[in-house]
Amino acid sequence: MRTLRRWASTAAALLLITGSVVAGGGGVANAYGHDGSMDVYQIAISFNCNNKTYCNPDELGGFWGWAEFDHNPATGANTGDAELTGCSHGTFKGAAHMSVEITNWTVAPGSAGPRTFFVTDETTTTFRGQREVTTETNADTGVPAVEGHYSSVDIFGIQPPPGINAQITVAFKPAR
């Protein structure tokens, strides 16, 4: 269960890092892949923890998100967007939505293996309609930069107990 608690902490940290490290001044949403001229990764994340035995009772709830990472082969630029929502049934009691515009990312060894997405700098966020301050970061997203569907067993390394589930799906479309 130690691995499960570590991953739950990682998921919570991702939500907190994305919410507190990233920041404001949002812009217009990009057309994903710019008519096919860019490499595009699309990521879906779902994490639910509703088991008081394994999850902190003040942190019961879930975290869901969609993200897209673009790579422009012509310029080498890496950009992206994410829409993230969390819900807590503990102390916070409620839901929060976050829109993120990523101005740079990379792939490096990290918590999801040798190919993990990192948001490297100048990320802008709108959290509950409020814009935050832009900062630089090197945040390990915990998301593998390899196409596939990752179940709770893949993520935790064990079958989690009832009330705990995680799923990550990574899709890739190369530039044409």
Side-chain angles (χ1 to χ4, degrees):
M1 292 295 95
R2 191 167 168 188
T3 301
L4 180 60
R5 288 176 196 238
R6 182 185 65 77
W7 198 89
S9 295
T10 299
L14 177 60
L15 178 60
L16 291 173
I17 287 169
T18 306
S20 62
V21 176
V22 298
V28 176
N30 294 324
Y32 304 113
H34 300 277
D35 74 5
S37 65
M38 292 212 230
D39 296 328
V40 178
Y41 289 91
Q42 289 204 34
I43 299 150
I45 298 171
S46 174
F47 174 72
N48 296 287
C49 192
N50 292 305
N51 185 321
K52 291 179 184 176
T53 303
Y54 297 97
C55 305
N56 181 335
D58 290 333
E59 298 171 1
L60 295 177
F63 173 78
W64 311 274
W66 168 87
E68 153 282 318
F69 290 91
D70 289 327
H71 169 72
N72 186 331
T75 66
N78 291 330
T79 58
D81 292 294
E83 296 294 328
L84 309 163
T85 300
C87 180
S88 173
H89 307 290
T91 304
F92 175 67
K93 287 190 174 68
H97 178 81
M98 194 178 335
S99 296
V100 180
E101 185 172 332
I102 301 161
T103 58
N104 199 17
W105 59 269
T106 192
V107 173
S111 66
R115 294 188 47 80
T116 300
F117 284 110
F118 281 78
V119 174
T120 56
D121 63 22
E122 296 183 39
T123 306
T124 59
T125 297
T126 302
F127 178 72
R128 291 186 152 188
Q130 302 297 312
R131 293 189 179 165
E132 305 286 327
V133 177
T134 300
T135 59
E136 292 187 14
T137 183
N138 193 23
D140 179 337
T141 65
V143 175
V146 178
E147 269 188 288
H149 177 77
Y150 302 90
S151 69
S152 292
V153 173
D154 299 321
I155 296 164
F156 299 137
I158 59 168
Q159 179 65 47
I164 300 173
N165 190 43
Q167 304 286 318
I168 298 174
T169 300
V170 178
F172 176 70
K173 181 208 68 74
R176 46 185 156 115

